[in-house]
């Protein structure tokens, strides 16, 4: 029994030594490979920089060197614009990388490979892949759809606005990613966003209004203002939020009506927007809601009322109940 | 100016690839370039030998680009160095904060190296 135990200990010790040896050997190999790669990167940096700067074509490279240059150019693609970016796109097109990634996006079985392709196509920046990325928004895998959404934003593919917001409304991609991607397109996205105000799905209309609030201007206020009469409370709330940025004097009446909306979200957003309009005609309505309405609405209305006329609010607060008005007056004095 | 009579430009960015490209581009455009990997090193280099212009990344370790700009402006020896901020922040408030602390110009990442060179040239011509 003791002999068997001793044998077991020795065997385990031997096995342990072998495993440690393998680990050490692997570590040395990995460190060696990293050193070789760093040396190669160092050697290839001047030709990569010269290529990016339009100083000449890349010399003939081995397969390994091509991989390293492609990695470096992929990194630069995220950070550069202008002719240097154009040279990166041309390089990847000439190497067949764009076609390879498009094929992977369409046919690769593992979802991670399709997602990687969608991601890489956005980084490379070839303008011809927009439609394929829009198609990838219908992929079965959420990671692929999200990567495609991000890449559509990177490419500023305006044809992607409506599919992006529809995908976000259907929870197929995260709303934050779809909104970010649409924001990258800036004012170019406005026509598509305005079209989406007539979409069948309330979530699509609300999403379009929310993004329009960020990329639109006062001229879009009228279209957004119409959203205050929408059948969906989420659209009315999005419209009221948007008018806090895009609203003008012509929206005063509609926003005052929205203060009596059945949805507290809409009333709170309308109060905030009225505070931003700085029109003293809204003061009476705001004060009434600051004193009588539900917590969030009263708080928003009180802050908006103080933004319109802090002195009047201080006088009213002294003779009335309503902790929100008192709080807003105090906050204004602190600011 | 350097001994060779070329304007000296300080480039500070913690992203090696961006710094390499900016240094390459500016050197090729006829400037002498000194490099810093963070804000602290940038301040040390600027204090040792004030450059003719500084290109500073906003998001740098130790001391960010805003603070480097502010400290350059606060020191009489470096207060007149034109500063271009490189920023991946796109909010108007970030840009205006850059101008508030004394930057002369800013460039948003992703950036066009041709545009950077043109702005460097324009700022140096104004001196």
């Amino acid at each position: 029994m003791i002999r068997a135990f001793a044998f077991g200990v020795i065997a385990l010790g031997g096995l342990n030594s072998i495993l440690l040896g393998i680990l050490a050997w692997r570590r040395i190999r990995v460190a060696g490979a990293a050193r070789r790669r760093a040396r190669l990167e160092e050697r290839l940096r001047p030709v990569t920089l010269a290529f990016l700067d339009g100083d000449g074509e890349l010399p003939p490279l081995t397969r390994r060197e091509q991989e390293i240059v492609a990695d470096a150019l992929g990194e630069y693609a995220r950070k550069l614009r202008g002719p240097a970016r154009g040279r990166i796109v041309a390089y990847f097109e000439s190497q067949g990388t764009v076609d390879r990634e498009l094929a992977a996006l369409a046919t690769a079985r593992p979802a991670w490979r399709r997602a990687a392709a969608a991601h890489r196509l956005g980084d490379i920046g070839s303008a011809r892949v927009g439609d394929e990325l829009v198609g990838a928004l219908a992929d079965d895998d959420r990671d692929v759809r999200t990567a495609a959404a991000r890449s559509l934003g990177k490419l500023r593919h305006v044809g992607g606005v409506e599919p992006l917001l529809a995908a976000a409304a259907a929870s197929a991609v995260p709303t934050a990613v779809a909104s970010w991607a649409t924001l990258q397109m800036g004012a170019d996205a406005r026509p598509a966003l305005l079209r989406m105000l007539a979409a069948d799905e309330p979530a699509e209309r609300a999403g379009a209004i929310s993004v329009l609030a960020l990329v639109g201007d006062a001229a879009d206020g009228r279209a957004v203002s119409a959203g205050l009469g929408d059948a969906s409370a989420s659209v009315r709330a999005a419209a009221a939020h948007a008018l806090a940025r895009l609203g003008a004097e012509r929206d005063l009446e509609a926003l005052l009506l929205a203060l009596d909306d059945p949805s507290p979200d809409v009333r709170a957003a309308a109060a905030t927007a009225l505070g931003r309009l700085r029109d003293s005609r809204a003061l009476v309505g705001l004060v009434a809601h600051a004193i009588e309405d539900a917590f969030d609405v009263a708080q928003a209305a009180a802050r908006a009322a103080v933004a319109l006329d802090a002195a009047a609010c201080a006088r009213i607060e002294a003779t009335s109940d309503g902790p929100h008005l008192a709080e807003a007056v105090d906050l204004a004095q602190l600011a | 100016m350097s001994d060779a009579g070329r304007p000296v430009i300080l480039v500070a960015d913690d992203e090696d690839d961006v710094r390499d490209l900016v240094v390459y581009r500016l050197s090729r455009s006829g400037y002498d370039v000194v490099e810093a990997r963070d804000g602290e090193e940038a301040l040390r280099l600027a204090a040792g030998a004030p450059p003719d212009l500084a290109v500073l990344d906003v998001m740098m370790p130790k001391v960010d680009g805003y603070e480097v700009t502010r400290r350059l402006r606060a020191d009489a020896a470096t207060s007149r160095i034109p500063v271009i901020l490189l920023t991946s922040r796109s909010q108007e408030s970030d840009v205006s904060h850059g101008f508030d602390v004394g930057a002369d110009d800013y460039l948003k990442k992703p950036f066009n190296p041709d545009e950077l060179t043109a702005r460097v040239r324009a700022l140096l011509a104004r001196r």
Side-chain angles (χ1 to χ4, degrees):
Chain A
M1 180 73 179
I2 291 170
R3 185 176 291 178
F5 181 72
F7 180 76
V9 168
I10 290 167
L12 278 174
L15 197 62
N16 197 24
S17 302
I18 290 169
L19 282 173
L20 278 175
I22 290 171
L23 281 174
W25 175 75
R26 243 188 91 73
R27 203 179 165 89
I28 289 166
R29 267 186 61 119
V30 168
R35 271 198 306 276
R36 282 193 297 280
R37 185 183 167 97
R39 274 201 300 272
L40 209 48
E41 282 174 348
E42 192 64 36
R43 190 165 65 72
L44 290 169
R45 185 169 299 132
V47 292
T48 308
L49 292 173
F51 169 74
L52 280 172
D53 214 31
D55 245 0
E57 291 303 309
L58 287 166
L61 301 170
T62 65
R63 193 174 176 77
R64 178 77 183 133
E65 289 170 338
Q66 278 178 9
E67 283 171 13
I68 287 172
V69 168
D71 284 350
L73 292 180
E75 278 297 312
Y76 276 118
R78 294 186 199 130
K79 297 168 184 173
L80 298 178
R81 287 190 297 111
R85 178 71 187 267
R87 281 187 277 276
I88 293 172
V89 174
Y91 173 80
F92 283 119
E93 288 280 14
S94 71
Q95 297 293 307
T97 312
V98 176
D99 287 328
R100 254 195 321 277
E101 295 304 316
L102 279 174
L105 180 64
T107 59
R109 286 177 67 97
W112 68 262
R113 181 65 186 94
R114 298 198 303 280
H119 200 274
R120 201 164 292 154
L121 286 167
D123 283 345
I124 290 172
S126 171
R128 71 181 171 97
V129 304
D131 291 343
E132 284 82 353
L133 288 170
V134 168
L137 291 175
D139 195 281
D140 292 337
D141 187 85
R142 187 174 173 84
D143 289 343
V144 179
R145 297 193 300 267
T146 303
R150 168 201 173 268
S151 289
L152 284 166
K154 299 277 284 185
L155 295 178
R156 296 185 170 89
H157 182 68
V158 176
V161 172
E162 286 158 281
L164 273 167
L165 292 181
S171 301
V173 298
T175 304
V177 177
S179 300
W180 174 87
T182 312
L183 284 177
Q184 303 311 302
M185 299 166 203
D188 290 344
R190 282 177 55 215
L193 291 170
L194 289 168
R195 278 197 301 277
M196 287 205 76
L197 299 185
D200 290 337
E201 289 297 320
E204 291 182 26
R205 298 197 297 276
I209 288 174
S210 298
V211 180
L212 197 57
L214 299 170
V215 300
D217 57 35
D220 301 317
R222 195 177 300 276
V224 170
S225 183
L228 288 174
D230 199 282
S232 159
S234 64
V235 177
R236 296 198 303 277
H241 278 297
L243 288 172
R245 181 169 177 270
L246 301 178
E249 192 184 344
R250 64 165 184 266
D251 302 311
L252 181 75
E253 289 301 323
L255 284 168
L256 283 172
L257 280 174
L259 273 182
D260 293 322
D261 194 280
S263 161
D265 285 349
V266 179
R267 297 201 300 277
T272 303
L274 284 166
R276 299 266 172 85
L277 281 188
R278 302 281 168 131
D279 191 317
S280 58
R281 285 175 288 173
L283 186 64
V284 174
L286 286 169
V287 167
H289 282 273
I291 294 170
E292 295 164 6
D293 212 325
F295 190 96
D296 288 346
V297 186
Q299 193 172 53
R303 290 180 183 179
V306 168
L308 293 188
D309 192 339
C313 288
R315 285 194 301 277
I316 296 166
E317 179 269 315
T319 58
S320 69
D321 290 335
H324 298 291
L325 208 51
E327 179 195 53
V329 168
D330 288 346
L331 284 173
Q333 283 168 355
L334 283 173
Chain B
M1 291 282 176
S2 68
D3 294 342
R6 289 193 291 261
V8 178
I9 298 178
L10 167 65
V11 175
D13 197 319
D14 60 316
E15 288 185 89
D16 292 344
D17 48 2
V18 173
R19 198 180 60 250
D20 285 346
L21 183 67
V22 172
V23 168
Y24 180 87
R25 162 51 71 100
L26 293 175
S27 304
R28 221 171 63 86
S29 302
Y31 304 109
D32 275 352
V33 185
V34 286
E35 306 176 47
R37 284 169 179 74
D38 57 58
E40 215 170 75
E41 190 180 3
L43 284 167
R44 201 169 53 246
L45 288 170
D52 295 289
L53 183 143
V55 178
L56 308 173
D57 183 32
V58 167
M59 300 292 281
M60 283 191 291
K62 297 183 184 172
V63 183
D64 69 23
Y66 296 136
E67 182 60 18
V68 174
T69 307
R70 202 187 59 73
R71 291 197 205 170
L72 289 176
R73 291 287 173 262
D75 183 339
T78 56
S79 64
R80 298 176 69 84
I81 298 171
V83 170
I84 298 176
L85 288 177
L86 272 178
T87 172
S88 39
R89 295 174 164 189
S90 54
Q91 297 285 330
E92 281 176 21
S93 57
D94 297 319
V95 174
S96 59
H97 183 51
F99 287 120
D100 284 347
V101 295
D104 297 89
D105 206 347
Y106 81 97
L107 212 56
K108 208 179 105 182
K109 288 182 182 176
F111 69 102
N112 178 349
D114 293 346
E115 198 179 337
L116 174 66
T117 318
R119 293 190 187 206
V120 165
R121 203 180 304 124
L123 276 176
L124 287 174
R126 255 192 258 158
R127 294 192 82 199

